[in-house]
C-alpha cells in the first residue's frame, strides 16, 4: 500500500517540477523516487496483508511482480533522458505519464477487489493511449494512438461488462467471494459468461490470437520508447493480472476452458512466429515475437497451483531481454523514419558492444543457453508437461525452433553485412540500461533458482 502512495506522489512531484522550472531535475528525481519505491516494495516481501476492506492485497506474488514493474519503469525513465532531448518542454509530461502507468500496473497485480482491478487497468490503458499517439506530426503515431484507443476501449468495455455480470451472480466485487463462487455448484450461468468476457478482454490486452491484430500496427506507429513500454511492461502486467484473475475465477477450471486456452496458446505461438518470419521492420518483428511469447506465458494458466514461479521467471527473462534490445534499437534507429532491419547492417563493426548486447537479447528470446530465456521456456514447458499437455509441449518446442530463424536474421545483418552509415557515439543512458538489463538476464540464467525460489 505504501508503494502505491509513494508512486502516486512521485508522479505529482514530476509534474510540479516543471512548474517550478526544475526541468533538468525531473529524471534524477524520478530515478531516485523509483529506487526508493523499489526498496519499500522489497521490504514487504514476507508481508501478507490486505487494506481498505480487501481492496488492495500485499503478498509474495504482488511484491515480486511490483518489484519487476518498478525496475522496468526505472530503465524506461532512464532511456527517456536522451529519447526526449529534442522535446524538453514535454519531458515532465512523458515522465509523469510513465510513473502513473506504473501506478496502474501495481494496482492491477495488487487488487483484492474487481473495482481496484478495473481502476488500475484504466490508469495503465489511458497512459498507453496517450504515449502511442505522442508524436502529433507523425501520421503513423496518430494512427497507432487512434487504433489502440478505439480497440483498447472496446476491450475495456467487454471486461467491464464481464465484471458487471460477475457482480450480478455473486453480489460482490471481492475476490475471496468470487473464488468461493467459482468453486460452488450453485453458481449461476451469468458468472461463467462474465468470466468468458473478462477472458476475451484480457486476451486482447496481452495480444494473444485471435485478438492480436492491433499489435503490429500500434508497435510500428508508436514512438520506439512507447513500443518498448508496451512490449515489456504492459504485456507482463496484463499477463500477471490475467493469471491472478484465473486463480480466483477458475477454482475448478473445466475442460472446455482449458481446451480454449490450449488452442489460443498454440495459435499465438504459431501465428506470431510465422508472421515474424516475413517482417523487415524490427518493431513489427518484435510485435509478432511478443504474440508468440504471450502464447508461451498462457501455458501457466493450465497449472495455476504450481506455475507462479515459472510465470514470474518467464516475465522477468523476457522483459529484461526486451529492454536491452530496445536500448540498442533506440540508438540505431534514432532520427530515422522507420526501423528497418537493414539499419542494423554492420553494427558488429561499428559498435561491437551494442551488437553483442542485441545479439544476446535476441538469443535469450529464442531460448538459447546460457541466457535466462532458455530456462524460462524450459520451466514453463516442464510445468505444461506435468499438467499432461504433451501436444502443447511439442508445439512450444517447434515454435522455439522457428523463432531462431528471424532472430538470427538480425544477428546476421549485424555481423555479415557492411555498415550503411558512419559510426556514431552511443548515449551513456543507452549503454548503462542495455548493459544492466542484459547483465541481469544472464545472471538469472546462471542462477535460475534465485527467482524460482521466491514464489
Amino acid at each position: 500500500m505504501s508503494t502505491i502512495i509513494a508512486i502516486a506522489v512521485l508522479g505529482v512531484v514530476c509534474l510540479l517540477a516543471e512548474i517550478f522550472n526544475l526541468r533538468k531535475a525531473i529524471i534524477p528525481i524520478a530515478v531516485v523516487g523509483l529506487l526508493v519505491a523499489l526498496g519499500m516494495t522489497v521490504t514487504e516481501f514476507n508481508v501478507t496483508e490486505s487494506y481498505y476492506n480487501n481492496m488492495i492485497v500485499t503478498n509474495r506474488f504482488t511484491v515480486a511482480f511490483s518489484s519487476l514493474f518498478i525496475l522496468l519503469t526505472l530503465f524506461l525513465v532512464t532511456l527517456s533522458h536522451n529519447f526526449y532531448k529534442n522535446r524538453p518542454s514535454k519531458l515532465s509530461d512523458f515522465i509523469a505519464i510513465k510513473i502513473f502507468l506504473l501506478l496502474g500496473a501495481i494496482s492491477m497485480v495488487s487488487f483484492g477487489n474487481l473495482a481496484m482491478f478495473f481502476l488500475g487497468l484504466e490508469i495503465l490503458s489511458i497512459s498507453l493511449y496517450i504515449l502511442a499517439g505522442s508524436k502529433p506530426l507523425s501520421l503513423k503515431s496518430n494512427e497507432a494512438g487512434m487504433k489502440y484507443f478505439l480497440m483498447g476501449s472496446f476491450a475495456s468495455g467487454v471486461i467491464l461488462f464481464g465484471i458487471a455480470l460477475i457482480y450480478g451472480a455473486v453480489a460482490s466485487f471481492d475476490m475471496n467471494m468470487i473464488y468461493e463462487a467459482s468453486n460452488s455448484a450453485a453458481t449461476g450461468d451469468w458468472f461463467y459468461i462474465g468470466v468468458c468476457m473478462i477472458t476475451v478482454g484480457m486476451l486482447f490486452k496481452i495480444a494473444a490470437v485471435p485478438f492480436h491484430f492491433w499489435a503490429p500496427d500500434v508497435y510500428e506507429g508508436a514512438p520506439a520508447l512507447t513500443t518498448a513500454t508496451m512490449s515489456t511492461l504492459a504485456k507482463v502486467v496484463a499477463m500477471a493480472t490475467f493469471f491472478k484473475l484465473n486463480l480466483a475465477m477458475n477454482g475448478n477450471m473445466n475442460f472446455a476452458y482449458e481446451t480454449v486456452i490450449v488452442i489460443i496458446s498454440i495459435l499465438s505461438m504459431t501465428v506470431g512466429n510465422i508472421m515474424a518470419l516475413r517482417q523487415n521492420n524490427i518493431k513489427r518483428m518484435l510485435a509478432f515475437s511478443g504474440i508468440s511469447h504471450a502464447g508461451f506465458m498462457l501455458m501457466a494458466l493450465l497449472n495455476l497451483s504450481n506455475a507462479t514461479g515459472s510465470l514470474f521467471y518467464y516475465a522477468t527473462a523476457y522483459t529484461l531481454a526486451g529492454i536491452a534490445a530496445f536500448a540498442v534499437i533506440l540508438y540505431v534507429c534514432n532520427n530515422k523514419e522507420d526501423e528497418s532491419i537493414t539499419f542494423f547492417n554492420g553494427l558488429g563493426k561499428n559498435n561491437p558492444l551494442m551488437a553483442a548486447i542485441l545479439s544476446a537479447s535476441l538469443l535469450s528470446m529464442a531460448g538459447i543457453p546460457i541466457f535466462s530465456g532458455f530456462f524460462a521456456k524450459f520451466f514453463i514447458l516442464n510445468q505444461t508437461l506435468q499438467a499432461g499437455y504433451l501436444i502443447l509441449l511439442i508445439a512450444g518446442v517447434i515454435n522455439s525452433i522457428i523463432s531462431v530463424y528471424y532472430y538470427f536474421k538480425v544477428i546476421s545483418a549485424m555481423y555479415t553485412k557492411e555498415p550503411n552509415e558512419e559510426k556514431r557515439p552511443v548515449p551513456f543512458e543507452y549503454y548503462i540500461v542495455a548493459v544492466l538489463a542484459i547483465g541481469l538476464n544472464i545472471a538469472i540464467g546462471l542462477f535460475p533458482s534465485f527467482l524460482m525460489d521466491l514464489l
Side-chain angles (χ1 to χ4, degrees), residues 111-275:
F111 72 94
N113 185 295
L114 286 178
M116 178 57 69
F117 153 68
F118 191 74
L119 181 63
L121 176 67
E122 287 305 288
I123 292 172
L124 181 137
S125 298
I126 292 171
S127 300
L128 288 174
Y129 301 154
I130 296 169
L131 291 173
S134 59
K135 291 180 70 176
L137 300 181
S138 169
L139 290 177
K140 285 186 176 181
S141 180
N142 292 338
E143 179 189 352
M146 182 57 69
K147 183 173 290 187
Y148 192 39
F149 169 70
L150 291 175
M151 300 185 72
S153 299
F154 183 76
S156 295
V158 172
I159 291 173
L160 187 59
F161 201 160
I163 291 173
L165 292 176
I166 288 176
Y167 180 81
V170 181
S172 175
F173 292 125
D174 187 82
M175 298 308 294
N176 292 328
M177 296 189 67
I178 290 170
Y179 177 76
E180 292 175 5
S182 72
N183 285 283
S184 172
T187 304
D189 292 339
W190 293 118
F191 178 87
Y192 299 104
I193 296 173
V195 169
C196 290
M197 296 189 75
I198 291 177
T199 298
V200 168
M202 293 307 296
L203 288 172
F204 172 89
K205 297 297 182 181
I206 65 172
V209 173
F211 310 102
H212 66 289
F213 291 104
W214 62 273
D217 291 343
V218 173
Y219 278 35
E220 181 184 7
L225 189 57
T226 302
T227 304
T229 306
M230 289 191 290
S231 67
T232 55
L233 177 59
K235 184 175 287 288
V236 296
V237 169
M239 191 63 235
T241 306
F242 191 28
F243 183 85
K244 185 173 179 177
L245 286 166
N246 274 272
L247 283 172
M249 298 188 307
N250 293 294
N252 290 320
M253 185 180 290
N254 59 47
F255 178 75
Y257 191 90
E258 290 181 354
T259 303
V260 170
I261 295 298
V262 169
I263 293 171
I264 292 175
S265 177
I266 292 173
L267 286 176
S268 297
M269 289 187 291
T270 306
V271 172
N273 280 324
I274 291 175
M275 293 302 295

Side-chain angles (χ1 to χ4, degrees), residues 429-448:
E429 296 85 356
Y430 293 175
Y431 260 137
I432 193 69
V433 170
V435 170
L436 283 176
I438 201 61
L440 288 171
N441 180 284
I442 295 171
I444 64 173
L446 294 174
F447 305 100

Side-chain angles (χ1 to χ4, degrees), residues 264-317:
I264 292 175
S265 177
I266 292 173
L267 286 176
S268 297
M269 289 187 291
T270 306
V271 172
N273 280 324
I274 291 175
M275 293 302 295
L277 294 172
R278 306 175 57 187
Q279 305 305 314
N280 294 315
N281 181 293
I282 195 165
K283 288 204 297 187
R284 289 186 71 88
M285 187 195 83
L286 290 177
F288 283 111
S289 168
I291 294 167
S292 173
H293 285 287
F296 276 98
M297 287 188 276
L298 281 172
M299 296 181 193
L301 302 182
L302 301 171
N303 195 357
L304 290 169
S305 58
N306 299 314
T308 308
S310 300
L311 177 63
F312 179 62
Y313 189 93
Y314 197 108
T316 305

Side-chain angles (χ1 to χ4, degrees), residues 16-31:
L16 292 175
E18 176 73 24
I19 296 174
F20 292 103
N21 200 26
L22 298 173
R23 192 173 294 154
K24 292 184 178 179
I26 291 173
I27 289 182
I29 289 171
V31 169

